C-alpha cells in the first residue's frame, strides 16, 4: 500500500477495519505526521520554514499567503488541502484521515479540532473507523476552540462562534453558535444590527 492508495480508499467513506493492512498503514502515517509536527512545534521557525514543514506534513503545495501559528497537531496530514490566504491559529488539531478541505480566505481560531473519523457503534467493531470529510468554504471565520465533526460542510462566508461543536452542515452567509452549533442569524442581519 502507498499513500495514494490509502487516500483513495479513505475518500470513499468506507469502514477501516481495526487491525487491517489499511489500519496499519494509517498508523504508519500517524507516526510520520507526529515526527514532522514535533519538528514544527519544537522550536521557533520563520514563516517560510513553517510553510515548508507544513508542506512536508501534507505533501501539497502551499500559497505564500498561508500562515500557521504553531503548535499544530495532526495524526495523518496527507488528507489536508488549504487554499490561499488561510490562517490557522495555534493549538489546532487536524484528524484528517477522512479529508479536510479549507477554502480561500479562511481564518481558523486557536484550539480548533477537525475530526474526520467516527468509530463504529457496534461494540465488537469499536476499533473500526468510518471516515467522512470536512469541507470549509471560502472566507469562513472559525472562532477559537471550535470542534467540527465528520462529514460537515461549512458554506462560504459563514462564521462559527468560539466554543461551538459543529455536528451538521452550516449554510453560507450564516452565523452559527452553541453545542451543538445551530444557525443563529445571517451575516447580513449582523451588518444591519439585528
Amino acid at each position: 500500500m502507498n499513500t495514494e492508495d490509502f487516500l483513495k480508499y479513505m475518500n470513499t467513506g468506507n469502514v477501516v477495519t481495526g487491525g487491517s493492512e489499511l489500519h496499519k498503514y494509517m498508523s504508519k502515517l500517524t507516526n510520520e505526521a507526529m515526527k514532522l509536527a514535533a519538528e514544527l512545534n519544537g522550536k521557533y521557525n520563520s514563516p517560510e520554514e513553517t510553510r515548508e514543514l507544513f508542506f512536508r506534513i501534507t505533501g501539497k503545495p502551499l500559497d505564500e499567503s498561508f500562515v500557521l501559528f504553531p503548535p499544530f497537531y495532526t495524526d495523518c496530514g496527507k488528507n489536508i488541502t488549504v487554499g490561499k490566504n488561510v490562517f490557522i491559529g495555534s493549538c489546532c488539531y487536524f484528524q484528517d484521515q477522512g479529508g479536510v478541505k479549507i477554502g480561500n480566505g479562511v481564518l481558523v481560531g486557536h484550539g480548533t479540532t477537525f475530526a474526520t473519523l467516527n468509530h463504529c457503534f457496534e461494540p465488537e467493531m469499536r476499533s473500526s473507523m468510518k471516515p467522512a470529510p470536512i469541507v470549509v468554504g471560502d472566507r469562513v471565520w472559525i472562532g477559537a476552540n471550535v470542534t467540527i465533526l465528520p462529514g460537515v460542510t461549512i458554506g462560504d462566508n459563514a462564521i462559527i462562534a468560539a466554543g461551538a461543536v459543529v455536528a451538521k452542515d452550516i449554510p453560507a452567509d450564516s452565523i452559527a453558535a452553541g453545542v451543538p452549533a445551530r444557525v443563529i442569524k445571517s451575516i447580513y442581519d449582523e451588518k444591519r444590527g439585528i
Side-chain angles (χ1 to χ4, degrees):
M1 172 159 299
N2 61 36
T3 302
E4 185 178 331
D5 292 338
F6 172 79
L7 294 176
K8 185 176 180 180
Y9 182 88
M10 295 304 285
N11 292 333
T12 67
N14 291 321
V15 170
V16 177
T17 304
S20 67
E21 289 304 312
L22 192 67
H23 190 237
K24 290 175 186 171
Y25 193 82
M26 183 187 299
S27 296
K28 175 184 178 293
L29 289 179
T30 296
N31 289 321
E32 290 173 7
M34 288 189 304
K35 181 178 179 183
L36 288 168
E39 190 175 340
L40 174 66
N41 300 333
K43 66 179 181 68
Y44 171 78
N45 295 291
S46 70
E48 296 78 19
E49 291 168 328
T50 298
R51 277 193 297 277
E52 174 60 26
L53 284 164
F54 196 83
F55 163 74
R56 288 173 54 202
I57 289 169
T58 65
K60 296 176 184 145
L62 292 166
D63 191 76
E64 289 182 7
S65 60
F66 175 76
V67 176
L68 170 70
F69 286 2
F72 171 81
Y73 304 97
T74 181
D75 55 4
C76 180
K78 300 303 183 200
N79 214 359
I80 300 170
T81 304
V82 296
K84 296 179 180 179
N85 298 307
V86 170
F87 169 80
I88 299 175
S90 62
C91 298
C92 288
Y93 184 81
F94 282 52
Q95 181 198 50
D96 62 287
Q97 289 92 335
V100 174
K101 183 177 180 187
I102 297 177
N104 297 315
V106 172
L107 304 172
V108 179
H110 302 310
T112 294
T113 297
F114 292 81
T116 66
L117 291 176
N118 265 329
H119 287 275
C120 292
F121 289 175
E122 302 86 352
E124 65 278 3
M125 292 190 60
R126 196 64 49 87
S127 66
S128 296
M129 293 162 275
K130 186 166 174 84
I134 294 171
V135 178
V136 178
D138 293 337
R139 298 167 305 280
V140 170
W141 174 17
I142 300 170
N145 297 308
V146 168
T147 298
I148 305 169
L149 298 179
V152 166
T153 295
I154 300 173
D156 293 348
N157 307 315
I159 298 171
I160 309 299
V165 175
V166 186
K168 64 179 185 176
D169 292 354
I170 302 298
D173 304 318
S174 298
I175 300 173
V179 178
R182 63 179 183 81
V183 173
I184 57 172
K185 62 172 87 173
S186 163
I187 62 170
Y188 299 108
D189 292 341
E190 188 66 24
K191 284 182 176 180
R192 293 191 305 263
I194 297 174

